[in-house]
Amino acid sequence: MAGRLRSEASAYLRQHAGNPVDWWPFGDQAFEQARLRDVPVFVSVGYAACHWCHVMAHESFEDQATADYLNEHFVSIKVDREERPDVDSVYMAATQAMTGQGGWPMSVFTLPDGRAFYAGTYYPPRPAPGMPSFRQLLEAVTDAWDQRRPSVEASAAALVEVLEGAADNNRRLMGNLLPFDPGTGPALLGISRSVLDDAVRVLAGEEDRDYGGFGDVPKFPPSSTIQFLLRHAAVLRAEAEGTASGEDREDGEPAAEPARGLAERTLEAMATSALYDQLEGGFARYAVDRQWSVPHFEKMLYDNVQLLRAYAQWATQAAPGSDRDFACAVAAGTADWMIQRLGLPCGGFASSLDADTVIEGVHQEGGTYLWSLDQLREAVGEEAEWVADAMGIGESGTVTATGSPLHPGRRLDAEDQRLWDRLKPALLAVRNRRPQPARDEKVVAGWNGLAIAALAETAGLLGREDLLEAAVRAAEYLQRVHLDDGGTLVRVSHDGSAGVVQGLLEDYAGFAEGLFALYAATGDDRWYLLAEQLVLDAERTFLNDGVLGDTAIKPSQLAAASGPANPADPFETATPSGTNLLAGALLTYAGYSGSSRHRQLAVQLLQYLERVAPKVPRVAGWGLAVAEAALAGPVELAVVGEPGPADELVRAAKATGSPGMVVAVRTAARTSQAQDAAGAEPGTPGSGAERVPLLEDKPAPESGALAYVCRGMVCRRPVSTADELVAALSSER
């Protein structure tokens, strides 16, 4: 075998480098080989942390006879879906169109030009009810290729029409993005408060009222949806505080319900379940049952950064007391787990921890995390019975015959929490001596951008300078490694070396999102300037003739498979879509810069919510969260003065939970730090905070600090105390 995958940056591809299958990475050379040999292409898509990808690899791709058949009759391509989401999205759409479902590993058969003609997901080594074996499938595809080529090509052509229709639906859903019209004004065009209220009502009807979350099993953490619900609740609370009774709005809707309840019930249910690692923090990918008691054990960066932001936001909005303390504890645990387990020496964050643990050469799903009663007794002695009762460990295991993950299923009371805190170190020490899941050390630009945002925001909430330092290190790494000399952003890197895949829309927008949050937390204007560059570059790169795209370039094979058009898909899956991330970044940039053009573009990107939000809000959670920010202003806050009083004003403002608040701070200490970081001499023209338009013409007092509450760069009279600022923010809403 050529061993072509050995030098790939992707850990997933390198996992398969030793297979007897003659794998190729996705690219022109592989498809050209198929054309020259006149054989179909087998495209296998997965990712490093995927349990069933490991299963199929062991059963089929490590089997010599199966590999020999593949090598003789196909050109085989391995794709890391995290590195190449453009490839994954096209062939996932093909798989779903053919089978009505999708997942990973994904198995797709294409013509040498890239057009798919058959697709599925996992196939076993032996026939199962309703499912052929993988070898049977390969033989059937080979027979069709050799004996019924016209039918194969007709199937491919028909599928292209289906995928072209789906792309056209996305284009029509988004509409043409019109040139800037100063006469449109700052209104959010067609999106109204009633649309967001309707979305909450739909979510209320989909809630699992017994165990939290939405929909049926498997249950995924609804991260961006929770962000929307918390922002919605904050707005309604502010409106209620502005009424005489403080109880109801004019339309009779309760002040902060049901949005607040929906978010809090789900957040509490997840954090008191096996989905959340009760020993070390961090969340698993999803649960296979309603109770969240049996997780799918892979831990993804993108899940945890979104949930970190959600728990931090819950803590920010909660009144002092048990809810706030609980949310802070989960946020702190998740942040600590991210830094310890996914933090890399280079400063970036790894993509994931594997679902499986390799124990004595065998992949065992969740093997690191499972406990039996005997193992508890060995770890904590006579207190094992209490742990078993408190954490849902029984004689019969929920994952293996005797093994179960820790699942309290409730919030511990104060006394139980003290006992649990005392026992956790012993249990964690035992677990750390076990074999550990592998880590995919691939750094993804967009996900790291969201990590920067989450850490920067949580640092302020918890007063944790170490979290802010971690956010700065990640930002510096992305700037140093992922941006080339021409300003092009690369999607992935490994071991400090950038890959070759250009960043997607979600990478540019996600990184900008993180940088704006980092600027708000540090006052270092280099982060604002870099975020501005990314926003403007994203606009130039992905917006063409009024149509937004998810990728800058569509490879010829994907163009053949789904048509040459490349409209962005606004719908969300595990992460916010590039469309919604860009809308949020544009809105924030408009708040800092006063650019009406970018605000108008942001709200145009959200127009699809009018049709989607009242029907399927869970596919547009971050878009709805951004819409809440747009309807709230967002409020623009400029704070100038001495560090201590300025920080007090910022804390008071953030505690109001105003959605998407834009915060710019200029203090003597922060200006000096920014100049030092940029290598500028104090007083150098253009080196200080005047680079941020929101801070222009905002004189600082001789002592203390002043806060300017603005909307559209029009500011109120400055205030100097926290109470005055909170009152001004309430009035502004």
Side-chain angles (χ1 to χ4, degrees):
M1 296 299 100
R4 299 179 191 88
L5 305 186
R6 294 187 188 281
S7 61
E8 290 292 317
S10 163
Y12 177 63
L13 267 59
R14 284 184 281 108
Q15 284 175 358
H16 293 270
N19 293 166
V21 177
D22 187 15
W23 293 112
W24 291 74
F26 188 90
D28 293 341
Q29 287 184 314
F31 287 94
E32 177 64 10
Q33 280 294 308
R35 187 189 68 80
L36 292 173
R37 291 176 52 195
D38 190 32
V39 295
V41 177
F42 169 56
V43 182
S44 176
V45 185
Y47 57 103
C50 168
H51 168 70
W52 285 103
C53 299
H54 298 322
V55 172
M56 190 168 178
H58 176 68
E59 293 172 343
S60 296
F61 304 145
E62 295 174 6
D63 178 71
Q64 187 65 55
T66 302
D68 289 343
Y69 192 92
L70 271 170
N71 296 340
E72 180 179 355
H73 298 282
F74 299 86
V75 167
S76 299
I77 295 177
K78 256 296 170 195
V79 177
D80 181 343
R81 65 171 293 261
E82 297 174 346
E83 181 180 47
R84 295 301 303 266
D86 55 338
V87 177
D88 177 67
S89 64
V90 167
Y91 289 131
M92 180 59 73
T95 302
Q96 291 172 330
M98 288 183 169
T99 67
Q101 59 187 3
W104 301 277
M106 182 164 54
S107 304
V108 183
F109 297 89
T110 84
L111 305 180
D113 64 2
R115 288 179 292 161
F117 62 86
Y118 193 83
T121 53
Y122 164 80
Y123 290 95
R126 289 171 293 279
M131 182 182 296
S133 71
F134 185 55
R135 179 62 178 266
Q136 287 176 324
L137 174 65
L138 295 178
E139 292 172 350
V141 171
T142 301
D143 181 68
W145 181 262
D146 292 339
Q147 305 299 325
R148 298 182 298 281
R149 184 79 63 88
S151 295
V152 169
E153 293 179 345
S155 295
L159 186 58
V160 171
E161 289 187 7
V162 172
L163 299 186
E164 283 185 318
D168 189 57
N169 287 338
N170 284 338
R171 186 194 61 75
R172 287 188 283 108
L173 179 64
M174 294 296 297
N176 284 329
L177 301 172
L178 303 175
F180 175 60
D181 179 5
T184 302
L188 191 58
L189 303 179
I191 299 178
S192 65
R193 171 62 57 193
S194 63
V195 170
L196 305 181
D197 289 341
D198 288 343
V200 175
R201 292 188 184 98
V202 171
L203 290 169
E206 296 175 344
E207 184 191 19
D208 181 341
R209 292 301 295 263
D210 294 324
Y211 300 107
F214 303 95
D216 205 348
V217 295
K219 292 175 76 172
F220 291 83
S223 306
S224 59
T225 298
I226 289 174
Q227 292 273 358
F228 156 61
L229 290 169
L230 290 171
R231 288 186 175 190
H232 193 79
V235 169
L236 298 190
R237 183 185 66 182
E239 291 179 357
E241 290 172 352
T243 64
S245 65
E247 296 177 355
D248 298 293
R249 295 165 55 197
E250 292 181 2
D251 60 5
E253 186 77 17
E257 289 285 355
R260 182 175 62 200
L262 287 168
E264 291 180 352
R265 285 190 292 272
T266 297
L267 288 167
E268 179 166 356
M270 291 191 299
T272 57
S273 76
L275 192 76
Y276 180 68
D277 186 340
Q278 301 295 324
L279 288 180
E280 194 176 35
F283 289 84
R285 173 80 276 262
Y286 64 86
V288 302
D289 64 328
R290 285 182 61 200
Q291 295 93 333
W292 311 91
S293 65
V294 182
H296 191 56
F297 290 91
E298 62 203 56
K299 288 182 176 180
M300 318 303 291
L301 175 65
Y302 57 71
D303 283 322
N304 282 278
V305 296
Q306 293 181 84
L307 289 167
L308 174 56
R309 273 185 114 173
Y311 282 95
Q313 188 175 348
W314 181 22
T316 297
Q317 294 177 205
S322 60
D323 281 354
R324 181 181 174 85
D325 293 343
F326 179 74
C328 282
V330 177
T334 304
D336 289 339
W337 173 83
M338 277 176 49
I339 292 172
Q340 180 178 358
R341 293 297 185 180
L342 296 184
L344 298 170
C346 64
F349 287 92
S351 296
S352 63
L353 292 185
D354 208 312
D356 292 4
T357 304
V358 179
I359 301 176
E360 297 181 352
V362 178
H363 281 266
Q364 295 187 17
E365 186 178 10
T368 300
Y369 306 103
L370 304 180
W371 294 89
S372 67
L373 280 173
D374 287 342
Q375 289 171 329
L376 290 178
R377 293 184 184 108
E378 290 177 6
V380 295
E382 61 185 18
E383 291 170 310
E385 301 302 325
W386 179 89
V387 173
D389 181 64
M391 294 291 147
I393 306 297
E395 293 285 354
S396 297
T398 57
V399 176
T400 65
T402 59
S404 303
L406 301 172
H407 175 74
R410 61 179 178 84
R411 197 187 301 190
L412 301 181
D413 62 30
E415 182 177 351
D416 283 348
Q417 187 64 53
R418 284 191 292 271
L419 178 55
W420 177 238
D421 289 341
R422 181 170 63 80
L423 296 174
K424 276 200 301 184
L427 291 165
L428 186 57
V430 170
R431 199 178 78 177
N432 284 340
R433 290 195 291 270
R434 298 173 177 174
Q436 299 296 306
R439 181 169 71 178
D440 182 351
E441 298 190 350
K442 173 176 71 264
V443 175
V444 178
W447 304 347
N448 272 253
L450 297 182
I452 292 165
L455 289 169
E457 292 173 357
T458 307
L461 166 72
L462 301 178
R464 292 272 302 272
E465 191 66 25
D466 61 317
L467 302 186
L468 192 58
E469 291 170 356
V472 169
R473 287 195 302 272
E476 290 174 338
Y477 175 80
L478 292 183
Q479 183 180 27
R480 182 175 67 252
V481 175
H482 282 247
L483 279 171
D484 67 17
D485 293 339
T488 299
L489 183 69
V490 174
R491 175 166 174 81
V492 302
S493 68
H494 179 263
D495 198 23
S497 297
V500 297
V501 179
Q502 182 175 351
L504 279 66
L505 176 63
E506 68 178 52
D507 295 304
Y508 279 78
F511 189 16
E513 172 79 16
L515 292 170
F516 281 133
L518 189 57
Y519 167 67
T522 64
D524 186 341
D525 64 354
R526 62 175 165 151
W527 304 128
Y528 168 78
L529 295 173
L530 183 55
E532 178 181 56
Q533 173 190 323
L534 288 165
V535 167
L536 299 179
D537 285 347
E539 182 184 7
R540 286 190 293 266
T541 302
F542 300 101
L543 182 59
N544 296 291
D545 299 324
V547 178
L548 186 69
D550 280 322
T551 60
I553 300 173
K554 193 171 188 178
S556 61
Q557 297 83 13
L558 302 184
S562 61
N566 194 30
D569 182 355
F571 296 142
E572 300 182 355
T573 52
T575 58
S577 67
T579 298
N580 293 337
L581 282 170
L582 180 62
L586 287 165
L587 189 68
T588 301
Y589 176 60
Y592 279 124
S593 68
S595 172
S596 298
R597 179 171 71 83
H598 289 96
R599 178 181 173 84
Q600 181 173 307
L601 179 56
V603 297
Q604 283 191 75
L605 291 175
L606 299 175
Q607 293 311 295
Y608 80 97
L609 295 174
E610 280 286 325
R611 284 189 280 173
V612 171
K615 298 177 182 178
V616 282
R618 281 191 283 159
V619 303
W622 189 248
L624 291 166
V626 176
E628 289 285 357
L631 283 173
V635 172
E636 302 150 8
L637 178 64
V639 178
V640 294
E642 297 176 340
D647 291 341
E648 182 181 350
L649 290 172
V650 171
R651 282 194 297 270
K654 290 183 176 179
T656 66
S658 181
M661 180 185 294
V662 173
V663 179
V665 181
R666 182 177 69 234
T667 68
R670 292 192 177 193
T671 300
S672 176
Q673 291 168 1
Q675 290 169 339
D676 290 343
E681 293 295 330
T684 300
S687 67
E690 68 271 9
R691 294 178 181 183
V692 184
L694 180 57
L695 287 171
E696 290 179 354
D697 303 319
K698 305 293 190 302
E702 293 184 1
S703 62
L706 290 176
Y708 296 79
V709 176
C710 314
R711 187 187 293 268
M713 292 291 179
V714 178
C715 304
R716 291 169 168 265
R717 178 181 61 82
V719 297
S720 59
T721 68
D723 289 343
E724 289 176 316
L725 177 55
V726 170
L729 291 170
S730 178
S731 176
E732 188 64 30
R733 288 178 182 173

